Amino acid sequence: MEERVKDEPVLFSVYIVLRLLVVLVMIFQLANGHYKNVFLCILTLIVFMMPSLIERRLKIDIPNTLEVIVLIFVFSAEILGEISAYYQRYTHWDTALHIVTGFLAAAVGFSLVDVLNRNSKNVNLSPFYLSFVAFCFSMTIAVLWEFLEFSLDMFFGMDTQKDTVIHTINTIALDKSMTNTVVSIRDIDSVVVNGRELGLGGYLDIGLIDTMKDMAVSFAGAVVFSVFGYFYVKGGSRGRFAKRFIPTKIREEE
């Protein structure tokens, strides 16, 4: 522990500060009877331990920059996003987190193939192929995450796919001629459900726009890292930046 404090003071400080904040939030939520939030705090503390556990068990060196970002990301998503309702208070909070997710997932996907590429005499993959695999891995994670959100909303009555108020809809569901003609309704400023005005100021899209926006920003994050990953393999100056986010295999002599 003492050696880690000396070698990784920033990481250790971030880890301790975030853990203390989570514990304080958990005590406050427990005192107010918000047991769901207490569970989220406990889950957050467990996730905080995962990077160190992975390093020890799988003999993988996770760069400090990546580990710090992961810790801050988890805190931002669970404690600030869910418990402090930052998803509702700040319009682009969810968008920013999905951009980071796309970037980090691409880094993990890249490292999985890069470790094989560097430690096998029979494998020699091109920089483009490595970057493409990283991009595909990141997008797969993004799709699986949206599947999870959809399942939570459908089967557990949650609202992880946040709704969006829109003022125009285009649909063939209102086409009475049954000729597959799109019917457009514009300038929607009110919606009545079961005889009650919702007061939204528009029509409520139930998650589609949020899902596609999340996929788009994850795509952007994946593309950005894939480009950096390409130059990392090529050995350019931009490769040094990507190195801060790519886990590597710890050799036995180390």
Side-chain angles (χ1 to χ4, degrees):
M1 178 64 70
E2 292 181 358
E3 292 181 0
R4 184 161 191 179
V5 173
K6 294 179 180 179
D7 297 337
E8 305 168 344
V10 175
L11 174 60
F12 184 79
S13 300
V14 171
Y15 182 75
I16 294 299
V17 170
L18 292 181
R19 279 179 66 94
L20 288 175
L21 289 175
V22 173
V23 171
L24 290 175
V25 171
M26 182 171 63
I27 294 174
F28 180 79
Q29 296 300 321
L30 183 62
N32 286 275
H34 298 157
Y35 301 112
K36 175 185 174 182
N37 292 341
V38 173
F39 170 76
L40 287 177
C41 290
I42 295 175
L43 180 62
T44 300
L45 292 174
I46 294 174
V47 174
F48 278 174
M49 296 186 294
M50 293 304 295
S52 297
L53 182 62
I54 291 174
E55 283 186 318
R56 291 197 301 269
R57 292 298 179 91
L58 301 182
K59 304 300 181 181
I60 292 176
D61 177 36
I62 300 177
N64 290 348
T65 301
L66 176 60
E67 194 166 346
V68 168
I69 292 178
V70 168
L71 294 176
I72 296 176
F73 173 84
V74 173
F75 182 83
S76 300
E78 299 300 329
I79 305 303
L80 298 180
E82 294 291 343
I83 297 178
S84 299
Y86 274 34
Y87 290 125
Q88 290 178 288
R89 295 184 182 183
Y90 302 101
T91 305
H92 301 295
W93 188 260
D94 184 58
T95 300
L97 292 182
H98 274 279
I99 292 176
V100 174
T101 301
F103 186 90
L104 296 182
V108 173
F110 186 94
S111 67
L112 293 176
V113 186
D114 185 57
V115 167
L116 174 65
N117 195 43
R118 292 177 181 274
N119 294 276
S120 176
K121 296 180 180 179
N122 299 321
V123 178
N124 185 22
L125 304 176
S126 69
F128 175 81
Y129 184 84
L130 289 170
S131 299
F132 183 70
V133 170
F135 169 79
C136 291
F137 180 86
S138 179
M139 293 308 300
T140 300
I141 295 299
V143 171
L144 293 176
W145 181 258
E146 295 303 323
F147 282 169
L148 174 62
E149 288 189 347
F150 177 78
S151 300
L152 292 174
D153 293 351
M154 285 293 295
F155 302 113
F156 297 97
M158 301 178 66
D159 185 24
T160 56
Q161 294 177 301
K162 300 297 186 289
D163 305 329
T164 305
V165 176
I166 58 178
H167 303 283
T168 300
I169 59 174
N170 301 292
T171 177
I172 63 171
L174 299 177
D175 175 29
K176 297 182 179 180
S177 65
M178 305 295 290
T179 57
N180 204 35
T181 301
V182 177
V183 176
S184 297
I185 301 179
R186 304 181 183 279
D187 301 323
I188 301 173
D189 58 10
S190 64
V191 174
V192 177
V193 177
N194 295 333
R196 182 169 66 92
E197 166 62 49
L198 298 182
L200 295 172
Y203 180 76
L204 193 64
D205 170 81
I206 53 173
L208 175 61
I209 293 177
D210 176 77
T211 296
M212 297 310 298
K213 179 194 65 179
D214 291 346
M215 293 292 293
V217 296
S218 295
F219 173 88
V223 168
V224 170
F225 183 86
S226 296
V227 172
F228 282 117
Y230 176 86
F231 287 104
Y232 167 76
V233 179
K234 296 289 280 188
S237 59
R238 278 168 285 188
R240 289 194 292 269
F241 174 80
K243 189 176 182 179
R244 301 177 181 178
F245 301 91
I246 300 177
T248 56
K249 184 73 174 178
I250 299 176
R251 298 179 180 180
E252 293 298 330
E253 57 268 22
E254 295 176 346

